[in-house]
Amino acid sequence: MRTVPGRTDRVVVVGAGLAGLATALRLRGAGREVTVVERGDGPGGRAGVVRRDGYVLDTGPSVFTAPELVADTLAAVGERLEDRLTLVPLETTYRAQFADGSHLDVHADVDAFAAEVETLAGPAEAAALRRYLADLAELYRLQLRTFIDRNLDTPLDLLGPELWALARRGGFGRLSSHVARFFDDDRLRRLFSFQALYAGVSPFRAIAAYAVIAQLDIGAGVWHPVGGIGAVPRAMAAAAQDAGVVFRYGATVEQLDVRGRRVTGVCLEGGERLPADAVVVTTDVPEGLVPGLRRRRPTYSPSCVTLHLGVRDELPGQAHHTISFGAAWQQVFDELTRNGRPMSDPSLLVSMPSRTDRSLAPDGGQVLSVVAPAPNLDPHSGGNPGIDWDALTPRYREEVLGVLEARGWAGLSDAIEVEHVDTPLTWARQGMAAGTPFALAHTFGQTGPFRTPTLPRRGPENVVLAGSSVQPGVGVPMVVISGRLAAERITGPVPA
Ligand SMILES: Cc1cc2nc3c(=O)[nH]c(=O)nc-3n(C[C@H](O)[C@H](O)[C@H](O)COP(=O)(O)OP(=O)(O)OC[C@H]3O[C@@H](n4cnc5c(N)ncnc54)[C@H](O)[C@@H]3O)c2cc1C
């Protein structure tokens, strides 16, 4: 593994999102002097929070998986996760709601899950489920070691027994065909392939190796952090601060101060300069800050429209997370990733965390977040720069609410007290490329050694990258891992 040469005592980390926080904790744990510079007024980045009239709305991630990664990161500074965060395991990971009126509760417990599947689709599918979950766990184990949990400088780094085992298991075939080999029931096929969209690709084009995303949620379970997902970056930032990391909020890095092959500091808006022996950039578009960093034209993930609602209604009977599938399927992915059109028959992720955590809503109320995948703004990624989301949003909001009312959330629209809506234009205005918060898609050519490494070959020799635009990829678990990978580029590998 390549590492930053020379002195690395003082490190500046740009960005206090989950990647920046993870990097800072790791570096501080290894004895570096660390300053985190964040343009926002607190930690979290995309894992943002809006508080209004007693409602706490998480505006970023809603599905929290792999808490052991956060625990491991906190342990770098000698902290225990349970002293900083209360995590509630969700008994029902998701409720999958299908267009034919049936539904399936996905349980973290395999026997309970298999019993649900047997009731829905019969004993053969329940047996297939057990086989599939075992296969998924093994695929994940193989990939964690090869693709995910390590710095990759060249494709040759992949060569090894795990890669062959992955190929033998059909990891490089199509995801949709892989899932179809196990399940006859179309509803189960959907349940185990929609996660490809989390990686920014259609299951009809994704390789089967991406099936492992379902290992993170369906296989290994989902947790709710009490106080909302925003409690996770707050806990990490507090632990980092107590360990001696310095935070500069409300400070924007304007440029890096480059002398020859090295960066010697960061220049803030307003003229202040912070000296540094190494800099870690965790922004969505690192090439905006790092001189000389070039990438091939990227393919971006689809974007989303999110509706975050504070609702004066108990909405009884609803699950913490519901995946509400429309009748359309392949067409949905074509609309999102090829045709640049909003979904005509939407599949939605609806989360109601106040069902588990009453601190998030006033008595008698609930908070609901609705994620509607939407095309991004980049025509080269199948997106559409021509959609005027500012003009379309009121109509689109009505449409989504209408769909929810028809799919079981009756009375929702009239009970809304507070709301916050984000669209691809919101993400673009925050500086995210292609108007998507999900960064570069995990196409084969943008995954593993083909994704930008944490230590780029071009640009200054002491600038390291972390976050969803680089290895290993998008989502809370991946960016937390990227923090460790970035730190190891500075400290060298840390033995487990
Ligand atoms: C609506 C939505 C739903 C999601 N759902 C899920 C989910 O359910 N599960 C999941 O695992 N993931 C989910 N994700 C993805 C996940 O939130 C992200 O992958 C992750 O939070 C990205 O973290 P990051 O640290 O890489 O980037 P960021 O959080 O964007 O951090 C980068 C930080 O850098 C700061 N910054 C940028 N430029 C500068 C500058 N010049 N100077 C100083 N600071 C700067 C930014 O303000 C920001 O705080 C979701 C994201 C969104 C938006």
mmCIF file of all heavy atoms in Angstrom, residues 14-20 37-40 44-47 59-63 251-253 282-283 289 304 306 427 437-438 467-468 474-477 479, ligand 1:
data_model
loop_
_atom_site.group_PDB
_atom_site.id
_atom_site.type_symbol
_atom_site.label_atom_id
_atom_site.label_comp_id
_atom_site.label_asym_id
_atom_site.label_seq_id
_atom_site.Cartn_x
_atom_site.Cartn_y
_atom_site.Cartn_z
ATOM 1 N N VAL A 14 -10.731 18.094 5.754
ATOM 2 C CA VAL A 14 -11.736 19.005 5.208
ATOM 3 C C VAL A 14 -13.078 18.282 5.185
ATOM 4 O O VAL A 14 -13.264 17.315 4.433
ATOM 5 C CB VAL A 14 -11.369 19.465 3.778
ATOM 6 C CG1 VAL A 14 -12.379 20.510 3.291
ATOM 7 C CG2 VAL A 14 -9.950 20.007 3.734
ATOM 8 N N GLY A 15 -14.011 18.728 6.033
ATOM 9 C CA GLY A 15 -15.352 18.144 6.078
ATOM 10 C C GLY A 15 -15.585 17.336 7.343
ATOM 11 O O GLY A 15 -14.775 16.490 7.709
ATOM 12 N N ALA A 16 -16.702 17.642 8.017
ATOM 13 C CA ALA A 16 -17.070 16.906 9.240
ATOM 14 C C ALA A 16 -18.293 16.040 8.983
ATOM 15 O O ALA A 16 -19.175 15.913 9.834
ATOM 16 C CB ALA A 16 -17.307 17.874 10.395
ATOM 17 N N GLY A 17 -18.367 15.452 7.772
ATOM 18 C CA GLY A 17 -19.347 14.392 7.538
ATOM 19 C C GLY A 17 -18.825 13.114 8.185
ATOM 20 O O GLY A 17 -17.791 13.124 8.881
ATOM 21 N N LEU A 18 -19.516 12.012 7.958
ATOM 22 C CA LEU A 18 -19.118 10.767 8.628
ATOM 23 C C LEU A 18 -17.721 10.324 8.207
ATOM 24 O O LEU A 18 -16.964 9.791 9.017
ATOM 25 C CB LEU A 18 -20.155 9.682 8.343
ATOM 26 C CG LEU A 18 -21.492 9.965 9.051
ATOM 27 C CD1 LEU A 18 -22.630 9.186 8.394
ATOM 28 C CD2 LEU A 18 -21.392 9.638 10.528
ATOM 29 N N ALA A 19 -17.352 10.575 6.939
ATOM 30 C CA ALA A 19 -16.012 10.193 6.482
ATOM 31 C C ALA A 19 -14.945 11.020 7.197
ATOM 32 O O ALA A 19 -13.940 10.483 7.684
ATOM 33 C CB ALA A 19 -15.896 10.374 4.970
ATOM 34 N N GLY A 20 -15.155 12.328 7.276
ATOM 35 C CA GLY A 20 -14.175 13.206 7.926
ATOM 36 C C GLY A 20 -14.044 12.878 9.410
ATOM 37 O O GLY A 20 -12.934 12.863 9.963
ATOM 38 N N VAL A 37 -11.993 21.007 9.469
ATOM 39 C CA VAL A 37 -12.580 22.267 9.012
ATOM 40 C C VAL A 37 -13.888 21.948 8.305
ATOM 41 O O VAL A 37 -13.909 21.146 7.354
ATOM 42 C CB VAL A 37 -11.624 22.985 8.025
ATOM 43 C CG1 VAL A 37 -12.222 24.327 7.615
ATOM 44 C CG2 VAL A 37 -10.264 23.175 8.649
ATOM 45 N N GLU A 38 -14.964 22.545 8.765
ATOM 46 C CA GLU A 38 -16.296 22.237 8.218
ATOM 47 C C GLU A 38 -17.031 23.545 7.925
ATOM 48 O O GLU A 38 -17.138 24.401 8.798
ATOM 49 C CB GLU A 38 -17.073 21.381 9.234
ATOM 50 C CG GLU A 38 -18.572 21.252 8.995
ATOM 51 C CD GLU A 38 -18.942 20.672 7.623
ATOM 52 O OE1 GLU A 38 -18.406 19.602 7.269
ATOM 53 O OE2 GLU A 38 -19.757 21.311 6.911
ATOM 54 N N ARG A 39 -17.568 23.635 6.716
ATOM 55 C CA ARG A 39 -18.250 24.895 6.349
ATOM 56 C C ARG A 39 -19.605 25.031 7.050
ATOM 57 O O ARG A 39 -20.109 26.130 7.254
ATOM 58 C CB ARG A 39 -18.409 24.985 4.832
ATOM 59 C CG ARG A 39 -19.340 23.952 4.276
ATOM 60 C CD ARG A 39 -19.483 24.004 2.774
ATOM 61 N NE ARG A 39 -20.350 22.909 2.371
ATOM 62 C CZ ARG A 39 -20.591 22.534 1.138
ATOM 63 N NH1 ARG A 39 -20.008 23.171 0.146
ATOM 64 N NH2 ARG A 39 -21.393 21.547 0.880
ATOM 65 N N GLY A 40 -20.218 23.915 7.399
ATOM 66 C CA GLY A 40 -21.498 23.964 8.102
ATOM 67 C C GLY A 40 -21.311 24.333 9.561
ATOM 68 O O GLY A 40 -20.190 24.460 10.044
ATOM 69 N N GLY A 44 -21.869 16.254 10.558
ATOM 70 C CA GLY A 44 -22.918 15.414 9.954
ATOM 71 C C GLY A 44 -22.920 15.442 8.445
ATOM 72 O O GLY A 44 -23.128 14.435 7.803
ATOM 73 N N GLY A 45 -22.715 16.622 7.855
ATOM 74 C CA GLY A 45 -22.758 16.718 6.391
ATOM 75 C C GLY A 45 -24.088 16.207 5.870
ATOM 76 O O GLY A 45 -25.155 16.666 6.301
ATOM 77 N N ARG A 46 -24.019 15.225 4.983
ATOM 78 C CA ARG A 46 -25.247 14.684 4.384
ATOM 79 C C ARG A 46 -26.161 14.052 5.421
ATOM 80 O O ARG A 46 -27.355 13.920 5.187
ATOM 81 C CB ARG A 46 -24.885 13.662 3.304
ATOM 82 C CG ARG A 46 -24.813 14.300 1.935
ATOM 83 C CD ARG A 46 -24.142 13.408 0.934
ATOM 84 N NE ARG A 46 -22.741 13.754 0.824
ATOM 85 C CZ ARG A 46 -21.968 13.447 -0.207
ATOM 86 N NH1 ARG A 46 -22.453 12.783 -1.221
ATOM 87 N NH2 ARG A 46 -20.709 13.811 -0.237
ATOM 88 N N ALA A 47 -25.603 13.629 6.549
ATOM 89 C CA ALA A 47 -26.446 13.102 7.630
ATOM 90 C C ALA A 47 -26.945 14.291 8.453
ATOM 91 O O ALA A 47 -26.582 14.487 9.609
ATOM 92 C CB ALA A 47 -25.643 12.127 8.483
ATOM 93 N N THR A 59 -32.469 14.473 7.640
ATOM 94 C CA THR A 59 -32.625 14.757 6.205
ATOM 95 C C THR A 59 -31.707 13.914 5.330
ATOM 96 O O THR A 59 -31.718 14.034 4.119
ATOM 97 C CB THR A 59 -32.345 16.247 5.912
ATOM 98 O OG1 THR A 59 -31.030 16.547 6.388
ATOM 99 C CG2 THR A 59 -33.355 17.143 6.594
ATOM 100 N N GLY A 60 -30.884 13.081 5.941
ATOM 101 C CA GLY A 60 -29.979 12.218 5.170
ATOM 102 C C GLY A 60 -30.359 10.765 5.324
ATOM 103 O O GLY A 60 -31.506 10.386 5.104
ATOM 104 N N PRO A 61 -29.381 9.928 5.718
ATOM 105 C CA PRO A 61 -29.663 8.497 5.797
ATOM 106 C C PRO A 61 -30.787 8.179 6.765
ATOM 107 O O PRO A 61 -30.972 8.882 7.768
ATOM 108 C CB PRO A 61 -28.349 7.909 6.324
ATOM 109 C CG PRO A 61 -27.401 9.012 6.508
ATOM 110 C CD PRO A 61 -28.020 10.286 6.111
ATOM 111 N N SER A 62 -31.520 7.122 6.456
ATOM 112 C CA SER A 62 -32.528 6.659 7.409
ATOM 113 C C SER A 62 -32.271 5.218 7.828
ATOM 114 O O SER A 62 -32.689 4.804 8.893
ATOM 115 C CB SER A 62 -33.942 6.808 6.823
ATOM 116 O OG SER A 62 -33.983 6.302 5.511
ATOM 117 N N VAL A 63 -31.583 4.455 6.973
ATOM 118 C CA VAL A 63 -31.337 3.040 7.285
ATOM 119 C C VAL A 63 -29.914 2.926 7.823
ATOM 120 O O VAL A 63 -28.941 3.098 7.089
ATOM 121 C CB VAL A 63 -31.510 2.170 6.022
ATOM 122 C CG1 VAL A 63 -31.270 0.702 6.355
ATOM 123 C CG2 VAL A 63 -32.901 2.368 5.426
ATOM 124 N N ALA A 251 -16.355 27.300 8.738
ATOM 125 C CA ALA A 251 -15.116 27.697 8.055
ATOM 126 C C ALA A 251 -15.008 26.910 6.753
ATOM 127 O O ALA A 251 -15.073 25.680 6.769
ATOM 128 C CB ALA A 251 -13.913 27.408 8.949
ATOM 129 N N THR A 252 -14.881 27.630 5.647
ATOM 130 C CA THR A 252 -14.818 26.973 4.335
ATOM 131 C C THR A 252 -13.393 26.987 3.804
ATOM 132 O O THR A 252 -12.750 28.041 3.780
ATOM 133 C CB THR A 252 -15.743 27.719 3.339
ATOM 134 O OG1 THR A 252 -17.069 27.667 3.856
ATOM 135 C CG2 THR A 252 -15.705 27.094 1.953
ATOM 136 N N VAL A 253 -12.908 25.819 3.414
ATOM 137 C CA VAL A 253 -11.581 25.766 2.791
ATOM 138 C C VAL A 253 -11.734 26.248 1.345
ATOM 139 O O VAL A 253 -12.512 25.687 0.567
ATOM 140 C CB VAL A 253 -11.010 24.328 2.815
ATOM 141 C CG1 VAL A 253 -9.703 24.261 2.026
ATOM 142 C CG2 VAL A 253 -10.803 23.873 4.254
ATOM 143 N N THR A 282 -12.590 15.371 2.093
ATOM 144 C CA THR A 282 -13.738 14.448 2.093
ATOM 145 C C THR A 282 -14.942 15.035 1.355
ATOM 146 O O THR A 282 -16.054 14.559 1.509
ATOM 147 C CB THR A 282 -14.174 14.085 3.535
ATOM 148 O OG1 THR A 282 -14.850 15.205 4.120
ATOM 149 C CG2 THR A 282 -13.005 13.688 4.400
ATOM 150 N N THR A 283 -14.707 16.065 0.559
ATOM 151 C CA THR A 283 -15.829 16.712 -0.119
ATOM 152 C C THR A 283 -16.318 15.851 -1.285
ATOM 153 O O THR A 283 -15.621 14.960 -1.740
ATOM 154 C CB THR A 283 -15.405 18.093 -0.654
ATOM 155 O OG1 THR A 283 -14.340 17.900 -1.585
ATOM 156 C CG2 THR A 283 -14.897 18.984 0.467
ATOM 157 N N LEU A 289 -10.934 20.987 -5.140
ATOM 158 C CA LEU A 289 -9.962 21.544 -4.192
ATOM 159 C C LEU A 289 -8.535 21.078 -4.459
ATOM 160 O O LEU A 289 -7.585 21.781 -4.126
ATOM 161 C CB LEU A 289 -10.319 21.118 -2.754
ATOM 162 C CG LEU A 289 -11.295 21.982 -1.951
ATOM 163 C CD1 LEU A 289 -11.447 21.402 -0.554
ATOM 164 C CD2 LEU A 289 -10.839 23.430 -1.861
ATOM 165 N N CYS A 304 -32.470 11.756 -5.760
ATOM 166 C CA CYS A 304 -33.751 11.476 -5.104
ATOM 167 C C CYS A 304 -34.458 12.781 -4.768
ATOM 168 O O CYS A 304 -33.836 13.838 -4.693
ATOM 169 C CB CYS A 304 -33.555 10.659 -3.832
ATOM 170 S SG CYS A 304 -32.596 11.497 -2.562
ATOM 171 N N THR A 306 -36.689 13.978 -1.552
ATOM 172 C CA THR A 306 -37.059 13.504 -0.212
ATOM 173 C C THR A 306 -38.095 14.448 0.398
ATOM 174 O O THR A 306 -37.991 15.671 0.279
ATOM 175 C CB THR A 306 -35.839 13.449 0.720
ATOM 176 O OG1 THR A 306 -35.180 14.705 0.672
ATOM 177 C CG2 THR A 306 -34.874 12.356 0.304
ATOM 178 N N TRP A 427 -29.326 19.299 -3.873
ATOM 179 C CA TRP A 427 -27.988 18.696 -3.759
ATOM 180 C C TRP A 427 -27.011 19.467 -4.648
ATOM 181 O O TRP A 427 -25.864 19.679 -4.265
ATOM 182 C CB TRP A 427 -28.019 17.221 -4.149
ATOM 183 C CG TRP A 427 -29.178 16.452 -3.577
ATOM 184 C CD1 TRP A 427 -30.171 15.818 -4.266
ATOM 185 C CD2 TRP A 427 -29.488 16.237 -2.190
ATOM 186 N NE1 TRP A 427 -31.074 15.239 -3.408
ATOM 187 C CE2 TRP A 427 -30.678 15.478 -2.133
ATOM 188 C CE3 TRP A 427 -28.877 16.629 -1.002
ATOM 189 C CZ2 TRP A 427 -31.266 15.092 -0.932
ATOM 190 C CZ3 TRP A 427 -29.462 16.246 0.190
ATOM 191 C CH2 TRP A 427 -30.630 15.494 0.222
ATOM 192 N N PRO A 437 -26.912 13.105 -4.137
ATOM 193 C CA PRO A 437 -26.155 12.920 -2.891
ATOM 194 C C PRO A 437 -25.508 11.547 -2.821
ATOM 195 O O PRO A 437 -24.857 11.215 -1.842
ATOM 196 C CB PRO A 437 -27.230 13.050 -1.810
ATOM 197 C CG PRO A 437 -28.480 12.549 -2.465
ATOM 198 C CD PRO A 437 -28.363 12.906 -3.927
ATOM 199 N N PHE A 438 -25.672 10.731 -3.887
ATOM 200 C CA PHE A 438 -25.174 9.355 -3.844
ATOM 201 C C PHE A 438 -23.917 9.162 -4.688
ATOM 202 O O PHE A 438 -23.537 8.029 -5.007
ATOM 203 C CB PHE A 438 -26.277 8.375 -4.269
ATOM 204 C CG PHE A 438 -27.534 8.537 -3.447
ATOM 205 C CD1 PHE A 438 -28.747 8.871 -4.036
ATOM 206 C CD2 PHE A 438 -27.495 8.385 -2.073
ATOM 207 C CE1 PHE A 438 -29.889 9.040 -3.275
ATOM 208 C CE2 PHE A 438 -28.638 8.553 -1.298
ATOM 209 C CZ PHE A 438 -29.833 8.885 -1.903
ATOM 210 N N GLY A 467 -14.517 9.566 1.789
ATOM 211 C CA GLY A 467 -15.900 9.928 1.488
ATOM 212 C C GLY A 467 -16.460 9.120 0.342
ATOM 213 O O GLY A 467 -15.789 8.242 -0.228
ATOM 214 N N SER A 468 -17.690 9.466 -0.037
ATOM 215 C CA SER A 468 -18.424 8.579 -0.936
ATOM 216 C C SER A 468 -17.944 8.617 -2.379
ATOM 217 O O SER A 468 -18.306 7.754 -3.166
ATOM 218 C CB SER A 468 -19.921 8.889 -0.858
ATOM 219 O OG SER A 468 -20.154 10.259 -0.999
ATOM 220 N N VAL A 474 -20.238 4.445 -1.458
ATOM 221 C CA VAL A 474 -21.353 5.280 -0.972
ATOM 222 C C VAL A 474 -22.052 4.635 0.221
ATOM 223 O O VAL A 474 -22.153 3.414 0.285
ATOM 224 C CB VAL A 474 -22.377 5.451 -2.110
ATOM 225 C CG1 VAL A 474 -23.550 6.315 -1.673
ATOM 226 C CG2 VAL A 474 -21.720 6.043 -3.340
ATOM 227 N N GLY A 475 -22.582 5.462 1.100
ATOM 228 C CA GLY A 475 -23.391 4.976 2.215
ATOM 229 C C GLY A 475 -22.611 5.042 3.514
ATOM 230 O O GLY A 475 -21.374 5.099 3.512
ATOM 231 N N VAL A 476 -23.331 5.054 4.617
ATOM 232 C CA VAL A 476 -22.704 5.247 5.924
ATOM 233 C C VAL A 476 -21.595 4.219 6.186
ATOM 234 O O VAL A 476 -20.457 4.595 6.502
ATOM 235 C CB VAL A 476 -23.774 5.227 7.047
ATOM 236 C CG1 VAL A 476 -23.119 5.276 8.418
ATOM 237 C CG2 VAL A 476 -24.752 6.378 6.861
ATOM 238 N N PRO A 477 -21.846 2.905 6.037
ATOM 239 C CA PRO A 477 -20.757 1.963 6.345
ATOM 240 C C PRO A 477 -19.521 2.203 5.484
ATOM 241 O O PRO A 477 -18.399 2.170 5.979
ATOM 242 C CB PRO A 477 -21.384 0.588 6.034
ATOM 243 C CG PRO A 477 -22.852 0.804 6.071
ATOM 244 C CD PRO A 477 -23.088 2.210 5.656
ATOM 245 N N VAL A 479 -18.464 4.972 3.914
ATOM 246 C CA VAL A 479 -17.674 6.192 4.169
ATOM 247 C C VAL A 479 -16.946 6.106 5.510
ATOM 248 O O VAL A 479 -15.861 6.674 5.680
ATOM 249 C CB VAL A 479 -18.486 7.509 4.028
ATOM 250 C CG1 VAL A 479 -19.154 7.579 2.669
ATOM 251 C CG2 VAL A 479 -19.467 7.722 5.141
HETATM 252 C C1 LIG B 1 -31.433 11.607 1.399
HETATM 253 C C2 LIG B 1 -30.298 10.663 1.681
HETATM 254 C C3 LIG B 1 -30.578 9.380 2.078
HETATM 255 C C4 LIG B 1 -29.540 8.487 2.363
HETATM 256 N N1 LIG B 1 -29.860 7.256 2.831
HETATM 257 C C5 LIG B 1 -28.876 6.454 3.296
HETATM 258 C C6 LIG B 1 -29.197 5.310 4.057
HETATM 259 O O1 LIG B 1 -30.365 5.045 4.333
HETATM 260 N N2 LIG B 1 -28.173 4.531 4.509
HETATM 261 C C7 LIG B 1 -26.865 4.834 4.259
HETATM 262 O O2 LIG B 1 -25.972 4.090 4.704
HETATM 263 N N3 LIG B 1 -26.535 5.945 3.547
HETATM 264 C C8 LIG B 1 -27.501 6.763 3.088
HETATM 265 N N4 LIG B 1 -27.189 7.934 2.453
HETATM 266 C C9 LIG B 1 -25.788 8.185 2.048
HETATM 267 C C10 LIG B 1 -24.920 8.715 3.178
HETATM 268 O O3 LIG B 1 -25.620 9.689 3.887
HETATM 269 C C11 LIG B 1 -23.659 9.325 2.588
HETATM 270 O O4 LIG B 1 -22.993 8.384 1.752
HETATM 271 C C12 LIG B 1 -22.673 9.790 3.665
HETATM 272 O O5 LIG B 1 -23.337 10.471 4.710
HETATM 273 C C13 LIG B 1 -21.637 10.688 3.024
HETATM 274 O O6 LIG B 1 -20.714 11.095 3.997
HETATM 275 P P1 LIG B 1 -19.393 11.897 3.597
HETATM 276 O O7 LIG B 1 -18.666 12.198 4.851
HETATM 277 O O8 LIG B 1 -18.687 11.178 2.521
HETATM 278 O O9 LIG B 1 -19.901 13.235 2.894
HETATM 279 P P2 LIG B 1 -20.613 14.506 3.537
HETATM 280 O O10 LIG B 1 -21.544 14.094 4.592
HETATM 281 O O11 LIG B 1 -21.164 15.285 2.401
HETATM 282 O O12 LIG B 1 -19.407 15.311 4.211
HETATM 283 C C14 LIG B 1 -18.617 16.233 3.512
HETATM 284 C C15 LIG B 1 -18.549 17.490 4.365
HETATM 285 O O13 LIG B 1 -17.647 18.402 3.769
HETATM 286 C C16 LIG B 1 -18.130 19.730 3.978
HETATM 287 N N5 LIG B 1 -17.488 20.586 2.982
HETATM 288 C C17 LIG B 1 -17.648 20.552 1.625
HETATM 289 N N6 LIG B 1 -16.846 21.461 1.044
HETATM 290 C C18 LIG B 1 -16.155 22.076 2.046
HETATM 291 C C19 LIG B 1 -15.159 23.094 2.079
HETATM 292 N N7 LIG B 1 -14.680 23.655 0.947
HETATM 293 N N8 LIG B 1 -14.675 23.503 3.287
HETATM 294 C C20 LIG B 1 -15.128 22.942 4.447
HETATM 295 N N9 LIG B 1 -16.071 21.961 4.467
HETATM 296 C C21 LIG B 1 -16.559 21.527 3.279
HETATM 297 C C22 LIG B 1 -19.625 19.570 3.771
HETATM 298 O O14 LIG B 1 -20.328 20.640 4.373
HETATM 299 C C23 LIG B 1 -19.878 18.226 4.461
HETATM 300 O O15 LIG B 1 -20.211 18.401 5.827
HETATM 301 C C24 LIG B 1 -28.187 8.880 2.199
HETATM 302 C C25 LIG B 1 -27.900 10.185 1.795
HETATM 303 C C26 LIG B 1 -28.940 11.082 1.568
HETATM 304 C C27 LIG B 1 -28.620 12.503 1.233
#
